[in-house]
């Protein structure tokens, strides 16, 4: 089969398309024929060798894919050959024509969700679900700012929060992104490249501030976020690419909180709940992954470059 193989950590050019043996499922394992693989920002940090998780070399990147079960190992009962599935992590990597996964890493993909959309399910929707339902226990009627709403996690959070009955404010850095965020459910949108968007957000909340912020770029925004919080407001740090200065008094005066998490560290029980919540959302149409760009597998280097550039529009996926 063809697969992207990383033999040394480095820039996008270390992602090489190679011919490798197609894996076979052992007991408890599932072989998935991949129809689409999702590109997440963490894939690029891991490829650089700068991420908290450093895989042994060589490795094939990717946790998020969608496809059809090709074969199952002994003892597998939850899926059978021919089933449409999405993956939440794999054993051999998603940037490939086939991937081996544990039975617990494959999940049913509702018929109305395309494979390309299915490749944008696990990390984006798992993260948004964990942030809203589990980490912060967000509630209907609360005001939410999705700071960086035009990308994978942001779109998922906007859709979920809208379906929960929250008032949703979302930011993007391009007109196309702003239109997308509005279309996917935000009540109000703001351009995070404009100098006065913080003031506009305060004005929109009648000067009260927002109850909850999901922050995609904390190293740039955390200090400003604290000034946008309502009393008892909380900020959840989802993404950050460096250090930041904050004024602790901004939290004190608002009795606010800064929360964080990593999707890698969630428990088995939390993950089970997430997949159940995602399945029903995909099925009832409240969760609708948006695919902005599709590239052939060989163009993984380009996908890694573009996923870090401005102008996000949902997900970038690779088609093997
Ligand atoms: P993505 O699809 O690349 O989207 C990035 C988002 O950040 C876009 O909406 C982009 O908007 C926005 N952005 C760019 N500059 C910004 C600014 N100055 N202020 C606010 N937002 C800005 O990435 P993603 O998959 O949604 O992931 C977002 C971040 O969360 C990444 O850093 C990722 O590594 C992290 N993450 C963490 C976890 C976890 O477990 N904690 C899980 C998933 C993702 P424009 O392009 O429109 O400007």
């Amino acid at each position: 089969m063809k697969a992207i193989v990383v033999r040394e950590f480095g820039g996008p050019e270390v992602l090489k398309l190679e011919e490798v043996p197609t894996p076979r499922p052992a007991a408890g394992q599932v072989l998935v024929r991949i129809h689409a693989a999702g590109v997440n920002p963490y894939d690029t940090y891991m490829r650089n060798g700068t991420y908290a998780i450093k895989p042994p070399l060589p490795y094939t990147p990717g946790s998020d894919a969608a496809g059809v079960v090709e074969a199952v190992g002994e003892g597998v009962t939850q899926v059978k050959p021919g089933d449409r599935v999405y993956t939440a992590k794999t054993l051999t990597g998603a940037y490939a024509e086939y991937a081996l996964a544990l039975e617990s890493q494959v999940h049913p993909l509702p018929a109305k969700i395309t494979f390309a959309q299915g490749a944008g399910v696990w990390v984006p929707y798992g993260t948004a679900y964990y942030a809203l339902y589990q980490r912060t226990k967000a509630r209907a009627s609360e005001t939410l700012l999705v700071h960086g709403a035009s990308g994978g996690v942001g779109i998922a959070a906007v859709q979920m929060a809208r379906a929960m009955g929250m008032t949703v404010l979302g930011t993007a850095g391009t007109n196309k992104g702003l239109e997308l965020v509005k279309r996917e459910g935000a009540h109000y949108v703001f351009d995070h490249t404009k100098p006065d968007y913080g003031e506009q957000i305060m004005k929109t909340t009648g000067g009260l501030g927002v109850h909850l912020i999901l922050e995609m770029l904390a190293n740039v925004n955390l200090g400003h976020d604290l000034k946008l919080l309502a009393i008892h407001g909380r900020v959840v740090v989802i993404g950050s690419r460096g250090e930041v200065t904050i004024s602790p008094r901004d939290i004190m005066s608002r009795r606010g909180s800064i929360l964080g998490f990593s999707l890698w560290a969630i428990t088995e029980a939390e993950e089970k709940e997430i997949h159940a919540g995602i399945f029903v959302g995909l099925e009832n149409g409240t969760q609708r992954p948006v695919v902005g760009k599709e590239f052939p597998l060989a163009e993984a280097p380009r996908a890694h470059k573009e996923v870090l550039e401005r102008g996000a529009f949902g997900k970038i996926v690779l088609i093997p």
Side-chain angles (χ1 to χ4, degrees):
M1 68 168 186
K2 290 198 163 42
I4 294 292
V5 179
V6 173
R7 296 190 174 277
E8 56 175 332
F9 295 116
E13 69 285 352
V14 303
L15 299 164
K16 305 277 194 219
L17 188 68
E18 294 190 9
E19 196 69 38
V20 301
T22 306
R24 286 157 165 250
Q29 298 179 351
V30 177
L31 181 68
V32 181
R33 167 77 174 95
I34 306 290
H35 287 252
V39 176
N40 287 297
Y42 92 80
D43 297 341
T44 71
Y45 321 146
M46 201 178 258
R47 184 214 67 225
N48 265 330
T50 54
Y51 197 50
I53 298 170
K54 215 168 169 179
L57 295 169
Y59 80 100
T60 292
S63 52
D64 296 11
V68 174
V69 173
E70 178 81 10
V72 298
E74 210 184 313
V76 170
T77 58
Q78 300 300 307
V79 291
K80 59 181 186 317
D83 285 357
R84 299 173 89 249
V85 292
Y86 72 88
T87 63
K89 292 168 275 179
T90 71
L91 297 169
T92 56
Y95 291 17
E97 287 181 313
Y98 294 87
L100 260 193
L102 296 174
E103 184 177 17
S104 59
Q105 294 171 330
V106 295
H107 303 274
L109 187 69
K112 66 161 71 154
I113 304 297
T114 66
F115 291 121
Q117 286 181 299
V121 169
W122 169 235
V123 168
Y125 284 81
T127 301
Y129 189 98
Y130 187 79
L132 290 169
Y133 286 93
Q134 294 170 318
R135 190 72 182 91
T136 65
K137 309 227 180 315
R139 294 184 299 277
S141 88
E142 285 192 306
T143 307
L144 166 73
L145 171 63
V146 182
H147 212 168
S150 48
V153 177
I155 290 293
V158 165
Q159 294 170 350
M160 266 182 217
R162 179 70 188 239
M164 284 168 78
M166 303 184 84
T167 298
V168 184
L169 288 68
T171 77
T174 62
N175 284 337
K176 210 176 147 206
L178 290 165
E179 278 165 28
L180 174 69
V181 174
K182 191 97 202 241
R183 184 190 89 192
E184 293 305 322
H187 296 91
Y188 307 98
V189 292
F190 305 88
D191 183 340
H192 52 227
T193 66
K194 295 276 188 307
D196 66 337
Y197 78 100
E199 285 159 42
Q200 290 176 32
I201 288 170
M202 285 310 287
K203 214 186 260 176
T204 302
T205 63
L208 295 174
V210 295
H211 298 115
L212 181 58
I213 299 177
L214 303 192
E215 181 51 63
M216 304 303 157
L217 199 57
N219 55 303
V220 173
N221 296 321
L222 190 60
H224 309 289
D225 286 345
L226 300 179
K227 300 184 197 305
L228 298 177
L229 283 184
I231 302 295
H232 289 134
R234 55 249 198 255
V235 184
V236 189
V237 175
I238 294 181
S240 187
R241 294 181 182 158
E243 297 189 353
V244 64
T245 302
I246 64 163
S247 276
R249 278 189 179 155
D250 289 330
I251 321 180
M252 291 153 67
S253 56
R254 292 168 179 80
R255 283 161 276 159
S257 335
I258 301 173
L259 308 167
F261 70 88
S262 163
L263 195 62
W264 295 105
I266 62 174
T267 66
E268 216 174 281
E270 286 167 337
E271 184 167 341
K272 200 169 166 204
E273 181 188 326
I274 292 173
H275 288 295
I278 289 177
F279 185 79
V280 76
L282 294 174
E283 218 180 19
N284 70 21
T286 53
Q287 296 175 28
R288 309 167 297 275
V290 172
V291 178
K293 290 179 191 165
E294 292 185 21
F295 294 136
L297 189 58
E299 289 191 36
R302 180 175 166 202
H304 270 215
K305 213 171 137 267
E306 293 195 13
V307 77
L308 296 181
E309 286 170 0
R310 303 298 297 271
F313 193 89
K315 289 296 302 179
I316 298 178
V317 305
L318 296 170
I319 308 296

